[in-house]
Amino acid sequence: MNSFGALTPLSPGGPEIYRLSALEQAGVGPVSRLPYCLKILLENLLRQEDGRFVTADDIAWLAQWTPAAAGEPRELAFTPARVLLQDFTGVPAIADLAAMRDAVRARGGDAAVINPLQPVELVIDHSVQVDRFAQASAFAFNAELEFHRNRERYVFLRWGQQALRNFRVVPPDTGIVHQVNLEYLARVIVRGKRDGRVLAFPDTLVGTDSHTPMVNGLGVMGWGVGGIEAEAAMLGQPISMLLPEVLGVRLLNRLPAGATATDLVLTITEALRRRGVVGKFVEFFGEGVRHLSVADRATLGNMSPEYGATIAISPIDDATLHYLRFTHRGPERVALVERYAKEQGLFGADTPAESYNAVMDFDLAQVEPSLAGPKRPQDRVALSRAKAGFAQALPAMLPAGASAAGGASNGAGLHHGAVVIAAITSCTNTSNPSVLMAAGLLAKKAVERGLRTQPWVKTSLAPGSKVVTDYLNRAGLTPYLDQLGFQLVGYGCTTCIGNSGPLPEAVAQEIQDKHLVAAAVLSGNRNFEGRIHPLVRANYLASPPLVVAYALAGDMNRDLATEPLGDGTDGQPVYLRDIWPTPAEIAATVEACVQPEMFAREYADVFTGDAQWKGLQVTAGDLYAWAPDSTYIKQPPFFEGIAAPPAALRGARVLALLGDSVTTDHISPAGSISPKSPAGEYLVAHGVQPVDFNSYGARRGNHEVMVRGTFANVRLRNRLAPGT
């Protein structure tokens, strides 16, 4: 439908667009003063108008929206342009499609009609674990073990890649889903066909991972949803939503020397949690936005789940165009993005403050080096107070019967606060060349001064794409990271998703024997207790260079702002300030060593995979051949014995009464499976030894495991059963 006559060519001979200015010219509403994110939604409604899910009245209502609009919130239908999956949450979604095909065939229909109706892309990034580290062979060993553990799952996804239309898979050992999305998959502006017309429209998406808003940094609107919502979107159904409030965050000034994008996002997370933005849209505007790169903006978007916002978006501007060229998007794509954004009033971060429901000013110049922890991402602590902060938090973290003394011993020499994991990992930071180059430069200076990583620290480097490896190699920084134990362990989430792998036996034994509160420092986005490693109670988020620094110190009881990291080869103390790279050093290294050709080369065959992936034996056909004895992939029972819709539930009772800060990690864990848990007992009963348990996330294709894994986090407390 085209009720408002908005469908016109973008340019002579070019694609057609649903022009927002047509609504204003027709007197429907002053759409030019809407926030960027609401303009994206308005175009979506205009393009999807069908008289059923989206009506002309819906369009007029949003065009007339004002921050002071009174009345009940309006339900709107949003139709994303595509769906993004990662393998933990993607496997059950594809299993449901396979089960639907079986159900159609059982009723005499053509199973091949069951396909995603929207483009669906799945990136396998959640499965690699850090079993081997600090060795040149770590990457190859971990990748081989990953394939051994997950062969059934990968065969299933290979089947889906061949059997389903509109479905593509980025194979394992390639990159992290959100970084691959940012660097390659995101279109920003889509050029596509519908009903014989060539259209241009904004790239929008939903993803089955909460950190999908990372792509908001590129001006692309998308957020994380549950599996049911994602599957509905895959099948062409709009997502029903109530229009949220829009908070404008006006960025002032620029980051000071020594402060990183990680410090920025930890500070904003703290501020927005305090402000209260759960379920809201956050939009960055103002002069300060111009001083942030797309990678910095993506860092802000990535952690929107940690401060509770649905999205945290930065509009398209010159930095966006620069990033698209930088990542080797074609000139036609860049030209389309620029022309479309300017024609639609989507270019630049100059939305008037009065266009938002509320405005919060944030001064970039006040950001300082920071960590967040020991249990929640919103609990920021300045680096200068990290030592005192740990001491203050320690009593509440002590296991029953443990002493706060926790002195050293003759074993690994551990005590409360010993850093046993230091991981450069996670989509949050590994997409940002500035912080990764900073880590490499700091490692170089540390090695040159004679510093070494403490022997009890498990170190790892898990980049978000192969481009990271390319530019660290080009900069000559890889040998220095290697010398400090930060060898490549895999391209995936690793430690941040709980795939930190086992601690060295002596370290694990001493933590258990002495009931120690050990610590992890990671460049991730989540640090809930029980997520990173079952034996590590204190977990801190930090920038990649600070991860390296804490690996050198090996202790949360050391004040890195005033105390030395250690002694150099000359016997003199070396302080963090002595080896911290300057902004000029970092910028020069990025400029010289990160090249568009790297993106072109690494993404040229991104869907092809290596020899192991291509060598998987997959049975062809429209139907998946379920293995009855599989403990990984089990046919969902949703379509068994379907008759009339079930009657309404009555007399339902509370199963669990939970406290604050309960997350999906508690409700449906993704990490390790205890042999003593119901899921562990199920696997043992089916012939699986504990060494082969893998993780809850890897077994999400088996509902029998997952129903037993619900509420299985060891730190969860049910108030209906106190003391358990």
Side-chain angles (χ1 to χ4, degrees), residues 21-22 61 81 104 112 119 160 179 277 290 298 315 352 409 420 431 448 477 489:
S21 59
W61 180 86
V104 169
Q179 185 161 345
V277 295
R290 296 185 177 89
S409 75
V420 297
S431 63
E448 290 172 343
L477 299 176
V489 297

Side-chain angles (χ1 to χ4, degrees), residues 2-45:
N2 187 19
S3 297
F4 299 95
L7 186 60
T8 61
L10 175 61
S11 59
E16 294 182 281
I17 68 171
Y18 282 84
R19 201 174 291 274
L20 296 177
S21 59
L23 296 172
E24 195 154 354
Q25 291 165 4
V28 179
V31 300
S32 59
R33 49 111 187 106
L34 288 175
Y36 175 89
C37 57
L38 296 192
K39 289 178 183 176
I40 300 289
L41 274 183
L42 180 58
E43 189 281 338
N44 195 275
L45 295 180

Side-chain angles (χ1 to χ4, degrees), residues 324-329 594-601:
L324 293 175
R325 297 186 189 99
F326 181 67
T327 51
H328 210 269
R329 266 71 162 202
V594 187
Q595 303 296 326
E597 295 75 29
M598 296 175 177
F599 296 89
R601 180 174 61 251

Side-chain angles (χ1 to χ4, degrees), residues 210 526 528 531 661-670 700 713:
S210 56
R526 292 202 167 156
F528 308 119
R531 176 183 175 97
S661 296
V662 172
T663 72
T664 52
D665 280 14
H666 298 94
I667 298 167
S668 183
R700 280 185 178 160
N713 186 298

Side-chain angles (χ1 to χ4, degrees), residues 382-468:
L383 177 64
S384 59
R385 292 204 67 259
K387 176 181 177 178
F390 175 78
Q392 184 177 357
L394 177 61
M397 292 188 290
L398 289 171
S403 165
S409 75
N410 294 324
L414 302 185
H415 49 271
H416 294 314
V419 175
V420 297
I421 292 176
I424 300 176
T425 180
S426 170
C427 50
T428 308
N429 289 286
T430 60
S431 63
N432 195 322
S434 294
V435 293
L436 284 170
M437 287 297 200
L441 289 167
L442 189 142
K444 179 177 186 291
K445 293 169 182 282
V447 169
E448 290 172 343
R449 295 292 296 270
L451 297 181
R452 291 293 181 267
T453 303
Q454 296 302 328
W456 55 83
V457 184
K458 181 173 185 177
T459 48
S460 60
L461 169 63
S465 80
K466 293 181 178 180
V467 175
V468 175

